[in-house]
Amino acid sequence: MTNPVKAVTFAEVMVGVDGKTDIDCSNKGLTSLEGCPEKVKGNFNCSGNKLTTLEGAPKNIKGDFNCSGNLLTTLEGGPEEVKGDYDCSNNELKTLDHCPVFVMGDFSCAGNQLKTLQGEISSSKGTKPERCLEIVDGDFNCSGNVLTTLEGSPKIVGGDYDCSNNQLTSLENCAVVVAGDFSCNRNQIISLDGAPRKVAGNFDCSNNKLSTLKGSPKKVDGDYNCSGNELTSLKGAPEEVKAFDCSNNHLTSLKRAPEKVKGNFDCSLNQMTSLKGIPEKIKGDFNCSGNHLTTLECGLKKVGGDFICANNDVLLTEEQVRSAYEIKGTFKS
């Protein structure tokens, strides 16, 4: 027979605390937020407790709200308005019902048990699923859940968007615009259809089950990582990226590779016999090691960084490489 958990309220532990400044009641063993001020002019941190409910939480918080690392299964009773970040990660949430519709800072629901980002809206006509979050001005992190769909996802994210480490097979219903980095790595995605149309930072779709890059945004302002998939072609790859990593796939050709690569280009650990299709200029390092290269014939003219070509079918010498291309960095074989 398990011993009952001793009730520990906010009022008992945080005696005399008002809401005129930040409130930090984290790691106090709280089981209840009973006794909290209704308004907090700064941040409110109740993380690392034993809360199973947010009943009693402040209704209006002018700073950040952090209820991570508790035992919450619902956000019911939580604040109605948060003007900073909202962190409900590492709980036992199965729904985002009762979360704010609009978050002015970052929003993290990572490390829960969410199967969907939708909530249920009740009316006289019954109950129907609806998007919980419309807009997130900062980062949106729903990684490490058990999501099989992105239905209910915010459509506009003002920072980074991270849906990695879920059970997604598709990016349908994803955000349309991501002003920061986009990461959907370590899922089971077979298609990039539905991916954001605009990504202002890095794009990471590595370690999925992609056989094609169709659906990718045409331009990614940061690095593009599609390594560790099942790609046999680069069709659909963006035209311009900062760095490009297509390593550890099943590629036999670099045709349809990005035309402009402003950083490193990594096509190692594939099945290529030639480098045809590679851009003319690579401003960073170039890594083609672990392939089946037997020739250097291709359109490449200049590499601004190192040239790495170890473990190919034919030993490529530094003299051969430097006579074929202009290499500014070191030769590694």
Side-chain angles (χ1 to χ4, degrees):
M1 183 176 177
T2 57
N3 294 324
V5 177
K6 181 183 177 183
V8 181
T9 70
F10 178 93
E12 292 169 340
V13 174
M14 307 294 287
V15 178
V17 172
D18 57 28
K20 294 180 180 179
T21 58
D22 295 343
I23 294 178
D24 186 353
C25 56
S26 61
N27 300 300
K28 303 285 187 185
L30 299 181
T31 60
S32 167
L33 292 178
E34 181 186 339
C36 283
E38 192 164 313
K39 294 182 180 180
V40 176
K41 292 184 178 180
N43 302 325
F44 184 86
N45 184 356
C46 59
S47 63
N49 282 293
K50 299 176 182 178
L51 299 172
T52 57
T53 175
L54 290 177
E55 291 293 341
K59 295 304 174 189
N60 186 297
I61 298 173
K62 289 195 173 179
D64 302 335
F65 175 68
N66 187 349
C67 61
S68 63
N70 278 285
L71 305 170
L72 299 171
T73 57
T74 175
L75 296 176
E76 188 171 4
E80 296 169 359
E81 184 177 12
V82 175
K83 293 191 175 178
D85 301 339
Y86 192 114
D87 187 351
C88 56
S89 60
N90 297 308
N91 278 286
E92 298 174 7
L93 297 174
K94 295 180 180 177
T95 175
L96 290 181
D97 280 344
H98 308 289
C99 78
V101 173
F102 178 70
V103 175
M104 296 183 186
D106 301 339
F107 181 87
S108 178
C109 56
N112 279 287
Q113 299 171 21
L114 297 171
K115 293 183 179 179
T116 177
L117 297 174
Q118 287 184 309
E120 291 188 344
I121 306 297
S122 299
S123 68
S124 58
K125 296 181 180 179
T127 302
K128 66 175 183 177
E130 286 286 351
R131 182 180 296 114
C132 293
L133 287 156
E134 294 286 344
I135 298 174
V136 175
D137 265 359
D139 300 337
F140 177 76
N141 186 349
C142 59
S143 64
N145 280 285
V146 286
L147 295 172
T148 56
T149 174
L150 289 176
E151 280 189 284
S153 166
K155 288 302 178 186
I156 298 176
V157 174
D160 301 338
Y161 187 111
D162 188 350
C163 58
S164 61
N165 289 295
N166 278 287
Q167 297 174 16
L168 299 171
T169 57
S170 164
L171 292 177
E172 293 291 341
N173 300 298
C174 186
V176 177
V177 176
V178 176
D181 299 338
F182 177 79
S183 180
C184 61
N185 61 304
R186 299 190 182 281
N187 279 284
Q188 300 168 27
I189 297 169
I190 57 175
S191 169
L192 291 178
D193 288 338
R197 295 295 85 214
K198 171 67 177 174
V199 175
N202 302 326
F203 187 100
D204 186 354
C205 58
S206 62
N207 296 298
N208 279 288
K209 295 184 177 180
L210 297 170
S211 58
T212 175
L213 295 178
K214 288 181 181 178
S216 286
K218 289 187 177 180
K219 183 181 177 183
V220 173
D221 291 341
D223 301 341
Y224 188 96
N225 186 350
C226 57
S227 63
N229 278 286
E230 300 171 5
L231 297 173
T232 55
S233 165
L234 291 178
K235 188 174 183 179
E239 297 170 359
E240 185 175 339
V241 297
K242 186 176 179 183
F244 186 73
D245 186 351
C246 59
S247 62
N248 198 21
N249 277 287
H250 306 313
L251 297 171
T252 57
S253 167
L254 290 177
K255 288 180 180 178
R256 308 290 181 92
E259 296 175 5
K260 292 184 179 180
V261 178
K262 299 175 182 177
N264 300 331
F265 190 115
D266 189 347
C267 58
S268 60
L269 301 172
N270 278 287
Q271 300 170 18
M272 295 181 299
T273 56
S274 86
L275 295 176
K276 288 182 178 179
I278 194 171
E280 286 188 4
K281 296 179 182 179
I282 295 171
K283 291 188 177 181
D285 299 337
F286 176 66
N287 187 351
C288 59
S289 59
N291 279 285
H292 302 298
L293 297 177
T294 57
T295 177
L296 293 174
E297 186 179 343
C298 64
L300 179 65
K301 293 181 179 178
K302 184 177 180 180
V303 175
D306 299 340
F307 190 99
I308 308 161
C309 59
N311 300 315
N312 276 286
D313 281 9
V314 172
L315 179 63
L316 301 172
T317 67
E318 183 169 3
E319 184 180 0
Q320 284 177 307
V321 171
R322 290 195 183 275
S323 63
Y325 320 122
E326 181 184 345
I327 310 296
K328 285 199 169 182
T330 59
F331 173 82
K332 298 178 182 179
S333 177

